[in-house]
Every structure is written in structure tokens, then in C-alpha cells.
Amino acid sequence: MNIVIYNEGIHDKEEWMKNVYPQGIHGALSDILASPENSITVITLDNVGDITPELLARTDVMLWWGHAAHHLVPDSVSNTVTEAVQKGMGFVALHSAHMSKPLRQLLGTSCTLKWRDNDAERVWVTAPSHPIAAGLPEYFELPDEEMYGEYFDIPKPDDVVFMGWFNGGELFRSGVTFTRGLGKIFYFQPGHEAFPTYMNPNIRLIIKNAVKWAAPSKRLERLECPMSPAPGPVLK
Ligand code: ZN
């Protein structure tokens, strides 16, 4: 599978974060997906221009982690990602990528939510037969995660695979799927940069499952309205 991991890579350059993710969030995500069958391309804000239609035409699934620099991603890149998804590329938006340009463009809502600093989260599986939930227990806990709470302004998801419940009582649709064109989209909330969430075995399994699930079964070469064929014989 051809996988592109975009991580804006801003926090990753700060000293405090090296204790959490010495190789950056992109390094942790690459490590989760590393296998002889996968070819992984990592892109950060420094080379965001490398996200081209040509690259995405041969990409099966793209992962996106962004937080502080959504506004620095050019609109043209967001258009490129959106079009690639509509043609069939899978898209996995992680944590604060809820406010990323491509996800908001694909979903068409503000994607705003409530948030608070760290709290304990219990992640419940709410669609146990969904491929992204394969191999997971009924629920698992993250001792430290940023609280994201409802209302989460997203369109009605195809499936709510996970719900997060926080110690403060808040609830959140933590793992949701959508379809846009031929492309499958998964948004997944855990993954705050200050905590080693991507080292958690359940989280790692979810990300592997999500990438497998989002891989295209069919793709379009181009998005266009085909001309109507010549009319057939008139019905009598
Ligand atoms: Zn965060």
C-alpha cells in the first residue's frame, strides 16, 4: 500500500516534545504502519508543496496530523487532497486535524468542538462489527488525553465507531467515518502531542485497521461530468 503521512511538524521541533515523540508524530505513525507491504512517504509543513495530484494519484491512504499551522497549508493543497479523496483515496484525519483545511472542505461543516486540557479518557467501541474496531476490547482507557467534547459540528457520520467518555463527564464522537465520492474518511480524536497516545497498543491497532479499511476498492482517474451519449431510439 502507498501511504502518505502529513504531519505539520511544528510542535515536534520543540525540546519538550522530544521526550514524548523523539522521532516526531510522523515517526510514531510511520512506525505503526511500517511493513514490507507498505511504502510510506512523510511530508511536513516544510515541504507541504510536495502534496501534488501526481503523488496522491498513486497514494492509497493519506494520514493528516495538524494543529498550529492549518492556515499555512495552501488552499491549493487542500483542493488537491479533497479531489484525491473524491476519486477514491482514503483519508485518516487525526486529533486536531478536525480543523484542518482538507477535512473541513470534505465535510462542509465548521468541525468545531469543546476542549479542555488533559483528562483521562475511556474509549468505547460503539460499532463492534466495523473493520476499524477489529481485535479491540469493549473499551480501553487512556490515562492522559486532551478532552474533546460535544457538540462536535460534523455532518451525520456513516458510522460512529468509537465514543470517548472523559473524567469530567463529557462525551465525544471519537472515531467517525464518512464517504465522499469514492473515498473513505476516518476521523479519530486521541493523539494529543503532549502524551504518548500513539504508543498505546489499542491506538496503534486502530490506526492500522483504519488505513486498511480506507484503502480504495475503486478509483476514478478524473472527476468530470461525462457528456450524455447520443440519445437512443425513442420509446413508443
Ligand atoms: Zn491536542
Side-chain angles (χ1 to χ4, degrees):
M1 209 183 297
N2 290 322
I3 297 168
V4 170
I5 295 171
Y6 171 78
N7 171 29
E8 63 179 23
I10 304 273
H11 302 304
D12 312 63
K13 289 178 182 159
E14 296 168 34
E15 216 39 56
W16 61 269
M17 207 177 141
K18 301 221 162 100
N19 300 321
V20 190
Y21 291 115
Q23 312 302 322
I25 285 176
H26 46 282
L29 295 173
S30 300
D31 184 52
I32 294 171
L33 297 168
S35 92
E37 297 90 62
N38 291 341
S39 158
I40 298 171
T41 304
V42 169
I43 295 177
T44 66
L45 186 65
D46 296 335
N47 62 330
V48 69
D50 289 358
I51 301 175
T52 60
E54 294 71 30
L55 174 72
L56 299 192
R58 52 176 194 273
T59 298
D60 297 300
V61 181
M62 179 177 215
L63 293 89
W64 192 286
W65 197 104
H67 177 225
H70 296 314
H71 62 294
L72 298 179
V73 173
D75 290 349
S76 58
V77 167
S78 184
N79 292 340
T80 297
V81 174
T82 298
E83 202 166 296
V85 172
Q86 290 166 337
K87 289 175 180 170
M89 182 184 78
F91 188 66
V92 176
L94 296 169
H95 188 57
S96 36
H98 68 95
M99 289 298 277
S100 65
K101 282 188 183 179
L103 190 71
R104 295 175 89 189
Q105 189 171 350
L106 283 159
L107 299 188
T109 54
S110 73
C111 297
T112 48
L113 45 76
K114 281 203 188 69
W115 69 273
R116 180 159 51 71
D117 271 344
N118 52 317
D119 202 346
E121 177 177 6
R122 183 175 291 169
V123 181
W124 286 90
V125 175
T126 47
S129 63
H130 198 285
I132 299 180
L136 287 165
E138 184 177 35
Y139 68 85
F140 61 92
E141 284 168 3
L142 300 168
D144 294 295
E145 187 43 71
E146 189 172 32
M147 192 288 289
Y148 277 10
E150 299 284 344
Y151 176 63
F152 184 19
D153 182 24
I154 48 172
K156 270 190 190 168
D158 293 344
D159 283 299
V160 178
V161 188
F162 304 104
M163 293 277 299
W165 176 84
F166 292 84
N167 225 10
E170 298 90 348
L171 206 58
F172 190 68
R173 288 168 288 172
S174 293
V176 285
T177 67
F178 304 91
T179 315
R180 289 294 182 269
L182 271 62
K184 289 180 238 169
I185 300 168
F186 179 56
Y187 168 76
F188 189 50
Q189 160 261 319
H192 184 55
E193 65 277 8
F195 309 121
T197 302
Y198 294 121
M199 305 301 186
N200 177 292
N202 289 316
I203 298 289
R204 294 169 79 88
L205 180 58
I206 291 168
I207 288 174
K208 277 188 211 169
N209 287 347
V211 167
K212 255 189 240 165
W213 167 82
S217 46
K218 188 176 177 184
R219 305 186 76 138
L220 297 173
E221 259 175 54
R222 60 181 68 84
L223 296 172
E224 62 179 22
C225 299
M227 282 174 64
S228 299
V234 176
L235 292 176
K236 288 184 184 151

